[in-house]
Amino acid sequence: DEIQAYNPYMLAIVGNTLKVLKNNGSMITVMTATLPAYINYILLNDFNFKMIDLSEEQYKDLNVKNLSFFRHKIEYIEVADETEFIKQVKQKIRSAFENGMNKIIVVLNTVRISIEVYEALKDDKTQDAKVLLFHARMLEKVKDRIIDEFRNSDKVVLVATQTIEASVNIDADYIISQMAPPDSLVQRMGRVYRNRNSNYNREEPNVTILKMPFEKDPMVKSNFYDEELMKKSEEVLKDKYLNKTLDFKLEKYFVEEATSEEKIKSKFLYKYEKTKNYAEHLSGLPFGKDDIEKIFRNISSVTLYVSNYISKEKSDQDKTSNLMQKIERYKNSINLPFFVFKKISKKIEQGDILAWDNVLSVQSKSRLFIKINPEYLTLFEEEGLEGLIYKEGLELEETEENWNIL
């Protein structure tokens, strides 16, 4: 599911695995609501998949949810810098509340700016609403609680990162999104007007896209978002898709058109082919386990268990107790990309804010347990791991290099 979420390096590894499975008789379905042209090309030409497009006439009787509704009306605003960006976010939220749009999502491209926007909104006493923060590096149980709070609140703003793009079933009235690649934008918009039984027919937009100059956007500067793709997306969006209500087909055309340019496609395919060729030959090379881990660590992750919330008692041996212990540990865990883990390891070893919990780590052998200085627990629960780390001035932004296994 959500195949569009893979960058070319990860797609090559996952794709190689899918091909091995397919060649050995496995039946595989790949799904997404947003399919960039370059990934479509790989699925059809490299994987030899058959394409089923549910927006085609022959599937009209399947009654697919939201397929025929016109759900989103977009406005596009350019801002000079981060300060103006946050000012616009505040103004747009105020206007949305005045128009009776009481469930609002603000989606940012990095955890750092999401924390800054969250703190600015929380400090804005003119907003009579609950403000929540949601990103990947928070405890699993905290993420669950935040989504429940959003669903159950009458007047609420959820500030989030790309984590919101997939597998988060919420229904907002209005969204403000930082400019992003076309598939990301459509995925974000999918959280708006999601569980309604009619078209969106109001005058005012229910989607606002805010764009800072690309040279000031850290995701573009670091090559995590391709600048050519971002410029093409902006061009296509302005040309055809602003200030009119869009259905699934129009959003699908937007993604296809913005990702079809040969220059953009060939750049993605070059990275994909290079990594694919490398991956295909790995099995014939004399690598040991440690070598393989080094090669793949940039697409792997590390789970840290936060012992402040976990029982220190040893579990009984029966299956029920073991299962309950696993569930408790999962709910009190954070999943980190390897490059983030590598960056914060030194901070953990210093032991001032975070420290290793050697007792639980020894008990569990292969698992990694950390404990957080009790003074910082409230901040950790509210803003996640980055909330602690950014206070110490350590940057954890993602770059293309973090994910390039070559």
Side-chain angles (χ1 to χ4, degrees), residues 301-319:
S301 59
V302 175
T303 300
L304 293 181
Y305 299 86
V306 183
S307 67
N308 302 65
Y309 307 97
I310 294 172
S311 168
K312 302 290 189 292
E313 292 178 22
K314 286 188 179 180
S315 166
D316 298 329
Q317 293 305 304
D318 65 274
K319 287 181 181 177

Side-chain angles (χ1 to χ4, degrees), residues 138-154:
M138 303 175 100
L139 287 179
E140 293 298 328
K141 69 177 182 184
V142 171
K143 288 192 279 188
D144 289 346
R145 190 198 73 220
I146 289 164
I147 294 304
D148 285 342
E149 274 191 67
F150 181 84
R151 288 184 184 131
N152 297 323
S153 297
D154 294 326

Side-chain angles (χ1 to χ4, degrees), residues 88-102:
Q88 274 286 349
V89 168
K90 287 181 178 180
Q91 288 175 358
K92 289 294 173 185
I93 288 173
R94 204 168 288 121
S95 298
F97 282 147
E98 287 168 3
N99 289 320
M101 295 171 160
N102 288 331

